[in-house]
Amino acid sequence: KIIAILWMSPVYSLTSFLSLVLPPSGEPILAILKDFYESYVIYQFLSFLIAVLGRGDRNAVVRSLARHTDHLKRPYKCLNCLF
């Protein structure tokens, strides 16, 4: 899981280099590949957090993070009159 996250910068640099070298018609394909890899890395990062924080139990992670939300205020101060 960590290796997939660490490979993010080489993948970005390779797609950036190829977008400079290849004709402009290949740029959308590289952007799609880069976006797919980015979503895969986000998934790997979240599964890594679940493995580390909750020891594999997703609900334990949600409960742990929900305990620390008491100090947060509503993000819509200007719409307070509607709620």
Side-chain angles (χ1 to χ4, degrees):
K1 293 179 183 187
I2 295 174
I3 299 298
I5 297 169
L6 292 177
W7 271 96
M8 185 106 174
S9 61
V11 167
Y12 268 48
S13 64
L14 181 66
T15 56
S16 297
F17 175 74
L18 289 177
S19 68
L20 291 173
V21 174
L22 295 177
S25 62
E27 191 172 335
I29 297 169
L30 291 174
I32 290 171
L33 290 174
K34 185 172 69 171
D35 289 342
F36 275 128
Y37 190 74
E38 182 179 357
S39 63
Y40 173 71
V41 166
I42 291 171
Y43 167 75
Q44 288 293 328
F45 179 70
L46 291 176
S47 66
F48 174 72
L49 283 179
I50 289 172
V52 170
L53 294 176
R55 296 189 178 119
D57 184 18
R58 182 183 179 278
N59 292 329
V61 174
V62 170
R63 282 191 306 270
S64 172
L65 294 176
R67 280 186 283 175
H68 303 291
T69 59
D70 298 339
H71 68 283
L72 298 175
K73 296 179 182 173
R74 292 183 175 176
Y76 41 82
K77 275 187 176 178
C78 61
L79 301 175
N80 225 4
C81 61
L82 300 175
F83 296 102

Coordinates of all heavy atoms in Angstrom, one line a residue:
K1 N 0.8 -1.2 0.0 CA 0.0 0.0 0.0 C 0.9 1.3 0.0 O 0.5 2.2 -0.7 CB -0.9 0.0 1.2 CG -2.0 -1.1 1.1 CD -2.8 -1.1 2.3 CE -3.8 -2.3 2.2 NZ -4.8 -2.4 3.2
I2 N 1.9 1.2 0.7 CA 2.8 2.4 0.8 C 3.6 2.5 -0.5 O 3.8 3.7 -1.0 CB 3.8 2.2 2.0 CG1 3.0 2.3 3.3 CG2 4.8 3.4 2.0 CD1 3.8 2.0 4.5
I3 N 3.9 1.4 -1.2 CA 4.6 1.5 -2.5 C 3.7 2.2 -3.5 O 4.2 3.0 -4.3 CB 5.0 0.1 -2.9 CG1 6.0 -0.5 -1.9 CG2 5.7 0.1 -4.3 CD1 7.3 0.2 -1.7
A4 N 2.4 1.9 -3.5 CA 1.5 2.6 -4.5 C 1.5 4.1 -4.3 O 1.4 4.8 -5.2 CB 0.1 2.0 -4.4
I5 N 1.6 4.5 -3.0 CA 1.5 5.9 -2.7 C 2.9 6.5 -3.1 O 2.9 7.6 -3.7 CB 1.3 6.1 -1.2 CG1 -0.1 5.6 -0.9 CG2 1.4 7.6 -0.8 CD1 -0.4 5.5 0.6
L6 N 4.0 5.8 -2.9 CA 5.3 6.4 -3.2 C 5.5 6.5 -4.7 O 6.3 7.3 -5.2 CB 6.4 5.5 -2.6 CG 6.5 5.6 -1.1 CD1 7.6 4.7 -0.6 CD2 6.8 7.0 -0.7
W7 N 4.8 5.6 -5.5 CA 4.9 5.7 -7.0 C 4.1 6.8 -7.6 O 4.2 7.0 -8.8 CB 4.5 4.4 -7.6 CG 5.6 3.4 -7.7 CD1 5.9 2.4 -6.8 CD2 6.6 3.3 -8.7 NE1 7.0 1.7 -7.2 CE2 7.4 2.2 -8.4 CE3 6.8 4.0 -9.9 CZ2 8.5 1.9 -9.1 CZ3 7.9 3.7 -10.6 CH2 8.7 2.6 -10.3
M8 N 3.5 7.6 -6.8 CA 2.6 8.7 -7.3 C 3.5 9.7 -8.1 O 3.1 10.1 -9.2 CB 1.9 9.4 -6.2 CG 0.9 10.4 -6.6 SD -0.7 9.8 -6.5 CE -1.6 11.2 -6.9
S9 N 4.6 10.2 -7.5 CA 5.4 11.2 -8.2 C 6.1 10.7 -9.5 O 6.1 11.4 -10.4 CB 6.4 11.8 -7.2 OG 7.3 10.9 -6.7
P10 N 6.6 9.5 -9.5 CA 7.2 9.0 -10.8 C 6.1 8.9 -11.9 O 6.3 9.2 -13.0 CB 7.8 7.6 -10.5 CG 8.1 7.7 -9.0 CD 7.0 8.5 -8.4
V11 N 4.9 8.5 -11.5 CA 3.8 8.4 -12.5 C 3.4 9.7 -13.0 O 3.3 10.0 -14.2 CB 2.6 7.6 -11.9 CG1 1.4 7.8 -12.8 CG2 2.9 6.2 -11.7
Y12 N 3.3 10.7 -12.1 CA 3.0 12.1 -12.5 C 4.1 12.7 -13.4 O 3.9 13.3 -14.4 CB 2.8 13.0 -11.3 CG 1.4 13.1 -10.9 CD1 0.6 11.9 -10.7 CD2 0.8 14.3 -10.6 CE1 -0.7 12.0 -10.3 CE2 -0.5 14.4 -10.2 CZ -1.2 13.2 -10.0 OH -2.5 13.3 -9.6
S13 N 5.4 12.4 -13.1 CA 6.5 12.9 -13.9 C 6.5 12.3 -15.2 O 6.8 12.9 -16.2 CB 7.8 12.8 -13.1 OG 8.1 11.4 -12.9
L14 N 6.3 11.0 -15.3 CA 6.3 10.3 -16.6 C 5.2 10.8 -17.5 O 5.4 11.0 -18.7 CB 6.2 8.8 -16.4 CG 6.2 7.9 -17.6 CD1 7.5 8.0 -18.3 CD2 5.9 6.5 -17.3
T15 N 4.0 10.9 -16.9 CA 2.9 11.4 -17.8 C 3.1 12.9 -18.2 O 2.7 13.3 -19.3 CB 1.5 11.3 -17.0 OG1 1.6 12.0 -15.8 CG2 1.1 9.9 -16.8
S16 N 3.7 13.7 -17.4 CA 4.0 15.1 -17.8 C 5.1 15.1 -18.9 O 5.0 15.8 -19.8 CB 4.6 15.8 -16.6 OG 3.6 15.9 -15.6
F17 N 6.1 14.2 -18.8 CA 7.1 14.2 -19.8 C 6.5 13.7 -21.1 O 6.8 14.2 -22.2 CB 8.3 13.3 -19.4 CG 9.3 13.1 -20.4 CD1 10.2 14.1 -20.7 CD2 9.4 11.8 -21.1 CE1 11.1 13.9 -21.7 CE2 10.3 11.6 -22.1 CZ 11.2 12.7 -22.4
L18 N 5.7 12.6 -21.0 CA 5.1 12.1 -22.3 C 4.1 13.1 -22.9 O 4.0 13.1 -24.1 CB 4.4 10.8 -22.0 CG 5.3 9.6 -21.7 CD1 4.5 8.4 -21.3 CD2 6.2 9.3 -22.8
S19 N 3.5 13.9 -22.1 CA 2.6 14.9 -22.7 C 3.4 16.0 -23.4 O 2.8 16.6 -24.3 CB 1.7 15.5 -21.6 OG 2.4 16.3 -20.8
L20 N 4.6 16.2 -23.0 CA 5.5 17.1 -23.8 C 6.0 16.5 -25.0 O 6.2 17.2 -26.0 CB 6.6 17.6 -22.9 CG 6.3 18.5 -21.7 CD1 7.5 18.7 -20.8 CD2 5.7 19.8 -22.2
V21 N 6.3 15.2 -25.0 CA 7.0 14.6 -26.2 C 6.0 14.1 -27.2 O 6.2 14.3 -28.4 CB 7.8 13.4 -25.7 CG1 8.4 12.6 -26.8 CG2 8.9 13.9 -24.7
L22 N 4.8 13.6 -26.8 CA 3.8 13.0 -27.7 C 3.0 14.2 -28.3 O 2.9 15.3 -27.8 CB 2.9 12.1 -27.0 CG 3.6 10.8 -26.4 CD1 2.6 10.0 -25.7 CD2 4.2 10.0 -27.6
P23 N 2.4 13.9 -29.4 CA 1.5 14.9 -30.0 C 0.3 15.2 -29.1 O -0.1 14.4 -28.2 CB 1.0 14.2 -31.3 CG 1.4 12.8 -31.2 CD 2.4 12.7 -30.2
P24 N -0.3 16.3 -29.3 CA -1.4 16.7 -28.4 C -2.6 15.8 -28.4 O -3.4 15.8 -27.5 CB -1.9 18.1 -29.0 CG -0.7 18.6 -29.8 CD 0.0 17.4 -30.3
S25 N -2.8 14.9 -29.4 CA -3.9 14.0 -29.4 C -3.7 12.9 -28.4 O -4.7 12.3 -28.0 CB -4.0 13.3 -30.8 OG -2.8 12.6 -31.1
G26 N -2.5 12.7 -27.8 CA -2.3 11.7 -26.8 C -2.5 12.2 -25.4 O -2.5 11.4 -24.4
E27 N -2.6 13.5 -25.3 CA -2.7 14.1 -23.9 C -3.9 13.7 -23.1 O -3.8 13.4 -21.9 CB -2.6 15.6 -24.1 CG -2.4 16.3 -22.8 CD -2.1 17.8 -23.0 OE1 -1.6 18.2 -24.0 OE2 -2.4 18.5 -22.0
P28 N -5.1 13.6 -23.8 CA -6.3 13.2 -23.0 C -6.1 11.8 -22.4 O -6.6 11.5 -21.3 CB -7.4 13.3 -23.9 CG -7.0 14.2 -25.0 CD -5.5 14.1 -25.1
I29 N -5.5 10.9 -23.2 CA -5.3 9.5 -22.7 C -4.4 9.5 -21.5 O -4.7 8.8 -20.5 CB -4.8 8.6 -23.8 CG1 -5.8 8.6 -25.0 CG2 -4.4 7.3 -23.3 CD1 -5.2 7.9 -26.2
L30 N -3.3 10.3 -21.5 CA -2.4 10.4 -20.4 C -3.1 11.0 -19.2 O -2.9 10.6 -18.0 CB -1.2 11.2 -20.7 CG -0.3 10.6 -21.7 CD1 0.8 11.5 -22.1 CD2 0.3 9.3 -21.2
A31 N -4.0 12.0 -19.4 CA -4.7 12.6 -18.3 C -5.7 11.5 -17.6 O -5.8 11.5 -16.4 CB -5.5 13.8 -18.8
I32 N -6.3 10.7 -18.4 CA -7.2 9.7 -17.9 C -6.4 8.7 -17.1 O -6.8 8.3 -16.0 CB -8.0 9.0 -19.1 CG1 -9.0 10.0 -19.6 CG2 -8.6 7.7 -18.6 CD1 -9.6 9.5 -20.9
L33 N -5.2 8.2 -17.6 CA -4.4 7.3 -16.9 C -3.9 7.9 -15.5 O -3.9 7.2 -14.5 CB -3.2 6.9 -17.7 CG -3.5 6.0 -18.9 CD1 -2.2 5.8 -19.7 CD2 -4.1 4.7 -18.5
K34 N -3.6 9.2 -15.6 CA -3.1 9.8 -14.4 C -4.2 9.9 -13.4 O -4.1 9.7 -12.2 CB -2.6 11.2 -14.7 CG -2.0 11.9 -13.5 CD -1.3 13.2 -13.9 CE -2.3 14.2 -14.4 NZ -1.7 15.5 -14.6
D35 N -5.5 10.2 -13.8 CA -6.6 10.3 -12.9 C -7.0 9.0 -12.3 O -7.3 8.9 -11.1 CB -7.8 10.9 -13.6 CG -7.6 12.4 -13.9 OD1 -6.7 13.0 -13.3 OD2 -8.3 12.9 -14.8
F36 N -6.9 7.9 -13.1 CA -7.2 6.6 -12.6 C -6.2 6.2 -11.5 O -6.5 5.7 -10.5 CB -7.1 5.5 -13.7 CG -8.4 5.4 -14.4 CD1 -8.5 5.5 -15.8 CD2 -9.6 5.2 -13.7 CE1 -9.7 5.3 -16.5 CE2 -10.8 5.1 -14.4 CZ -10.9 5.1 -15.8
Y37 N -4.9 6.5 -11.8 CA -3.9 6.2 -10.8 C -4.1 7.0 -9.5 O -3.9 6.5 -8.4 CB -2.5 6.3 -11.3 CG -1.4 5.8 -10.4 CD1 -1.3 4.4 -10.3 CD2 -0.6 6.6 -9.6 CE1 -0.3 3.9 -9.4 CE2 0.3 6.1 -8.7 CZ 0.4 4.7 -8.7 OH 1.3 4.2 -7.8
E38 N -4.4 8.2 -9.7 CA -4.7 9.1 -8.5 C -5.8 8.5 -7.6 O -5.7 8.5 -6.4 CB -5.0 10.5 -8.9 CG -5.2 11.5 -7.8 CD -5.5 12.9 -8.3 OE1 -5.5 13.1 -9.5 OE2 -5.8 13.7 -7.5
S39 N -6.9 8.1 -8.3 CA -8.0 7.5 -7.5 C -7.6 6.2 -6.8 O -8.0 5.9 -5.7 CB -9.2 7.3 -8.4 OG -8.9 6.4 -9.4
Y40 N -6.7 5.4 -7.5 CA -6.2 4.2 -6.9 C -5.4 4.5 -5.7 O -5.5 3.8 -4.6 CB -5.4 3.4 -7.9 CG -4.7 2.2 -7.4 CD1 -5.4 1.1 -7.0 CD2 -3.3 2.2 -7.3 CE1 -4.8 0.0 -6.5 CE2 -2.7 1.1 -6.8 CZ -3.4 0.0 -6.4 OH -2.7 -1.1 -5.9
V41 N -4.6 5.5 -5.7 CA -3.7 5.9 -4.6 C -4.6 6.4 -3.5 O -4.3 6.1 -2.3 CB -2.7 7.0 -5.0 CG1 -2.0 7.6 -3.9 CG2 -1.6 6.3 -5.9
I42 N -5.6 7.2 -3.7 CA -6.5 7.6 -2.7 C -7.2 6.4 -2.0 O -7.3 6.4 -0.7 CB -7.6 8.6 -3.2 CG1 -6.9 9.9 -3.6 CG2 -8.7 8.8 -2.2 CD1 -7.8 10.9 -4.3
Y43 N -7.6 5.4 -2.8 CA -8.2 4.2 -2.2 C -7.1 3.5 -1.3 O -7.4 3.0 -0.2 CB -8.7 3.3 -3.3 CG -9.0 1.9 -2.8 CD1 -10.1 1.7 -2.1 CD2 -8.1 0.9 -3.1 CE1 -10.4 0.4 -1.6 CE2 -8.4 -0.4 -2.6 CZ -9.5 -0.7 -1.9 OH -9.8 -1.9 -1.4
Q44 N -5.9 3.4 -1.8 CA -4.8 2.7 -1.0 C -4.5 3.4 0.3 O -4.3 2.8 1.3 CB -3.6 2.6 -1.9 CG -3.7 1.6 -3.0 CD -3.8 0.2 -2.4 OE1 -3.3 -0.2 -1.4 NE2 -4.5 -0.7 -3.2
F45 N -4.5 4.8 0.2 CA -4.3 5.6 1.4 C -5.4 5.4 2.4 O -5.1 5.2 3.6 CB -4.1 7.0 1.0 CG -3.9 7.9 2.2 CD1 -2.6 7.9 2.8 CD2 -4.8 8.8 2.6 CE1 -2.4 8.7 3.9 CE2 -4.6 9.6 3.7 CZ -3.4 9.6 4.4
L46 N -6.6 5.4 2.0 CA -7.7 5.2 3.0 C -7.7 3.8 3.5 O -8.0 3.6 4.7 CB -9.0 5.5 2.3 CG -9.3 7.0 2.0 CD1 -10.6 7.2 1.2 CD2 -9.2 7.8 3.2
S47 N -7.4 2.8 2.7 CA -7.3 1.4 3.3 C -6.1 1.3 4.2 O -6.2 0.5 5.2 CB -7.3 0.4 2.1 OG -6.1 0.5 1.4
F48 N -5.0 2.0 3.9 CA -3.9 2.0 4.8 C -4.3 2.7 6.2 O -3.9 2.1 7.3 CB -2.7 2.8 4.2 CG -1.6 3.0 5.1 CD1 -0.7 1.9 5.4 CD2 -1.3 4.2 5.6 CE1 0.3 2.1 6.3 CE2 -0.2 4.4 6.5 CZ 0.6 3.3 6.8
L49 N -5.0 3.8 6.1 CA -5.5 4.4 7.4 C -6.4 3.5 8.2 O -6.3 3.4 9.4 CB -6.2 5.7 7.1 CG -5.4 6.9 6.7 CD1 -6.3 8.1 6.4 CD2 -4.4 7.2 7.8
I50 N -7.3 2.8 7.5 CA -8.1 1.8 8.2 C -7.3 0.7 8.8 O -7.6 0.3 10.0 CB -9.2 1.3 7.2 CG1 -10.2 2.4 6.9 CG2 -9.9 0.1 7.8 CD1 -11.2 2.0 5.8
A51 N -6.3 0.2 8.1 CA -5.5 -0.9 8.6 C -4.7 -0.4 9.9 O -4.5 -1.2 10.8 CB -4.5 -1.4 7.6
V52 N -4.2 0.8 9.8 CA -3.4 1.3 10.9 C -4.2 1.8 12.1 O -3.9 1.4 13.2 CB -2.4 2.5 10.4 CG1 -1.7 3.1 11.6 CG2 -1.4 1.9 9.4
L53 N -5.2 2.6 11.8 CA -6.0 3.2 12.9 C -7.0 2.2 13.6 O -7.1 2.2 14.8 CB -6.7 4.4 12.4 CG -5.9 5.6 12.0 CD1 -6.8 6.7 11.5 CD2 -5.0 6.1 13.2
G54 N -7.6 1.4 12.7 CA -8.7 0.6 13.2 C -8.3 -0.9 13.3 O -9.2 -1.7 13.6
R55 N -7.1 -1.2 12.9 CA -6.6 -2.6 12.8 C -7.6 -3.4 11.9 O -7.9 -4.6 12.3 CB -6.5 -3.2 14.2 CG -5.4 -2.5 15.0 CD -5.2 -3.2 16.3 NE -4.1 -2.5 17.0 CZ -4.3 -2.0 18.2 NH1 -5.4 -2.1 18.8 NH2 -3.3 -1.4 18.8
G56 N -8.0 -2.9 10.8 CA -8.8 -3.6 9.9 C -10.3 -3.4 10.0 O -11.1 -3.8 9.2
D57 N -10.7 -2.7 11.1 CA -12.2 -2.5 11.4 C -12.5 -1.1 11.0 O -12.1 -0.1 11.6 CB -12.5 -2.8 12.8 CG -14.0 -2.7 13.2 OD1 -14.8 -2.8 12.2 OD2 -14.3 -2.5 14.3
R58 N -13.3 -1.0 9.9 CA -13.7 0.3 9.4 C -14.6 1.1 10.4 O -14.4 2.3 10.6 CB -14.4 0.2 8.1 CG -14.8 1.5 7.5 CD -15.6 1.3 6.2 NE -16.0 2.5 5.6 CZ -17.1 3.2 6.0 NH1 -17.9 2.8 7.0 NH2 -17.4 4.3 5.4
N59 N -15.5 0.4 11.1 CA -16.3 1.1 12.0 C -15.6 1.6 13.2 O -16.0 2.7 13.8 CB -17.4 0.1 12.5 CG -18.4 -0.3 11.4 OD1 -18.6 0.6 10.5 ND2 -18.9 -1.5 11.4
A60 N -14.5 1.0 13.6 CA -13.7 1.5 14.7 C -13.0 2.8 14.3 O -12.9 3.7 15.1 CB -12.6 0.5 15.1
V61 N -12.6 2.9 13.1 CA -12.0 4.2 12.6 C -13.0 5.3 12.6 O -12.8 6.4 13.0 CB -11.4 3.9 11.2 CG1 -10.8 5.3 10.6 CG2 -10.3 2.9 11.3
V62 N -14.2 5.0 12.1 CA -15.3 6.0 12.0 C -15.6 6.5 13.4 O -15.8 7.7 13.7 CB -16.5 5.4 11.3 CG1 -17.7 6.4 11.4 CG2 -16.2 5.2 9.8
R63 N -15.8 5.5 14.4 CA -16.1 5.9 15.8 C -14.9 6.8 16.4 O -15.2 7.7 17.1 CB -16.3 4.7 16.6 CG -17.6 4.1 16.4 CD -17.9 3.0 17.5 NE -16.9 2.0 17.6 CZ -16.9 0.8 16.8 NH1 -17.9 0.6 16.0 NH2 -15.9 0.0 16.9
S64 N -13.7 6.4 16.1 CA -12.5 7.1 16.6 C -12.5 8.5 16.0 O -12.2 9.5 16.8 CB -11.3 6.4 16.2 OG -10.1 7.2 16.5
L65 N -12.8 8.7 14.8 CA -12.7 10.0 14.2 C -14.0 10.9 14.6 O -13.9 12.1 14.7 CB -12.6 9.9 12.7 CG -11.3 9.4 12.1 CD1 -11.4 9.2 10.6 CD2 -10.2 10.2 12.5
A66 N -15.1 10.2 14.8 CA -16.3 10.9 15.2 C -16.2 11.5 16.6 O -16.9 12.5 16.9 CB -17.5 10.0 15.1
R67 N -15.4 10.9 17.5 CA -15.2 11.5 18.8 C -14.6 12.8 18.8 O -14.8 13.6 19.8 CB -14.4 10.5 19.7 CG -15.2 9.3 20.2 CD -14.3 8.5 21.1 NE -13.4 7.8 20.2 CZ -12.4 7.0 20.6 NH1 -12.1 6.9 21.9 NH2 -11.6 6.3 19.8
H68 N -13.8 13.2 17.8 CA -13.1 14.4 17.8 C -13.8 15.5 17.0 O -13.1 16.5 16.7 CB -11.7 14.2 17.3 CG -10.9 13.1 18.0 ND1 -10.4 13.3 19.3 CD2 -10.6 11.9 17.7 CE1 -9.8 12.2 19.7 NE2 -9.9 11.3 18.7
T69 N -15.0 15.4 16.8 CA -15.7 16.4 16.0 C -16.6 17.4 16.9 O -17.3 18.2 16.3 CB -16.6 15.8 14.9 OG1 -17.6 15.0 15.6 CG2 -15.8 15.0 14.0
D70 N -16.5 17.3 18.2 CA -17.3 18.1 19.0 C -16.9 19.6 18.9 O -17.8 20.5 19.1 CB -17.2 17.7 20.5 CG -17.6 16.3 20.7 OD1 -18.4 15.8 19.8 OD2 -17.2 15.7 21.7
H71 N -15.7 19.9 18.7 CA -15.2 21.3 18.6 C -15.5 22.0 17.3 O -15.3 23.2 17.2 CB -13.7 21.4 18.9 CG -12.9 20.8 17.9 ND1 -12.8 19.4 17.7 CD2 -12.2 21.4 16.9 CE1 -12.0 19.2 16.7 NE2 -11.6 20.3 16.2
L72 N -15.9 21.3 16.3 CA -16.2 21.9 15.0 C -17.5 22.6 14.9 O -18.5 22.2 15.5 CB -16.2 20.8 13.9 CG -14.9 20.0 13.7 CD1 -15.1 18.9 12.7 CD2 -13.8 20.9 13.3
K73 N -17.5 23.8 14.2 CA -18.7 24.6 14.1 C -19.3 24.3 12.7 O -18.6 23.7 11.8 CB -18.3 26.0 14.2 CG -17.8 26.4 15.6 CD -17.4 27.8 15.7 CE -16.9 28.1 17.0 NZ -16.3 29.5 17.1
R74 N -20.5 24.7 12.6 CA -21.2 24.5 11.3 C -20.5 25.4 10.2 O -20.1 26.5 10.5 CB -22.6 24.9 11.4 CG -23.4 24.0 12.2 CD -24.9 24.4 12.2 NE -25.7 23.5 12.9 CZ -26.9 23.6 13.1 NH1 -27.6 24.6 12.7 NH2 -27.6 22.7 13.8
P75 N -20.3 24.9 9.0 CA -19.6 25.6 8.0 C -20.4 26.7 7.3 O -19.9 27.4 6.5 CB -19.1 24.5 7.0 CG -20.2 23.5 7.1 CD -20.6 23.5 8.6
Y76 N -21.7 26.8 7.6 CA -22.5 27.7 6.9 C -23.0 28.8 7.9 O -24.2 28.9 8.2 CB -23.7 27.0 6.2 CG -24.3 25.9 7.0 CD1 -25.3 26.1 8.0 CD2 -23.9 24.6 6.8 CE1 -25.8 25.1 8.7 CE2 -24.4 23.5 7.5 CZ -25.4 23.8 8.5 OH -25.9 22.8 9.2
K77 N -22.1 29.6 8.3 CA -22.5 30.7 9.3 C -23.5 31.7 8.6 O -24.4 32.1 9.3 CB -21.3 31.5 9.7 CG -20.6 30.9 10.9 CD -19.5 31.8 11.3 CE -18.8 31.3 12.5 NZ -17.7 32.2 13.0
C78 N -23.3 32.0 7.4 CA -24.1 33.0 6.7 C -25.5 32.5 6.5 O -26.5 33.3 6.3 CB -23.5 33.5 5.5 SG -23.2 32.2 4.2
L79 N -25.8 31.2 6.5 CA -27.1 30.6 6.3 C -27.7 30.1 7.5 O -28.6 29.3 7.5 CB -27.0 29.4 5.3 CG -26.4 29.8 3.9 CD1 -26.2 28.5 3.1 CD2 -27.2 30.8 3.2
N80 N -27.2 30.6 8.7 CA -27.7 30.2 10.0 C -29.2 30.4 10.2 O -29.9 29.7 10.9 CB -26.9 30.8 11.1 CG -26.5 29.9 12.2 OD1 -26.8 28.7 12.1 ND2 -25.9 30.4 13.2
C81 N -29.7 31.5 9.5 CA -31.2 31.8 9.7 C -32.1 30.8 9.0 O -33.2 30.7 9.4 CB -31.4 33.2 9.2 SG -31.1 33.4 7.4
L82 N -31.6 30.1 8.1 CA -32.4 29.1 7.4 C -32.4 27.7 8.1 O -33.3 26.9 7.8 CB -31.8 28.9 6.0 CG -31.8 30.1 5.1 CD1 -31.2 29.8 3.8 CD2 -33.2 30.7 4.9
F83 N -31.5 27.5 9.0 CA -31.4 26.2 9.6 C -31.8 26.2 11.1 O -31.3 26.7 11.9 CB -30.0 25.6 9.4 CG -29.7 25.3 8.0 CD1 -28.9 26.2 7.3 CD2 -30.3 24.2 7.3 CE1 -28.7 25.9 6.0 CE2 -30.0 24.0 6.0 CZ -29.2 24.8 5.3

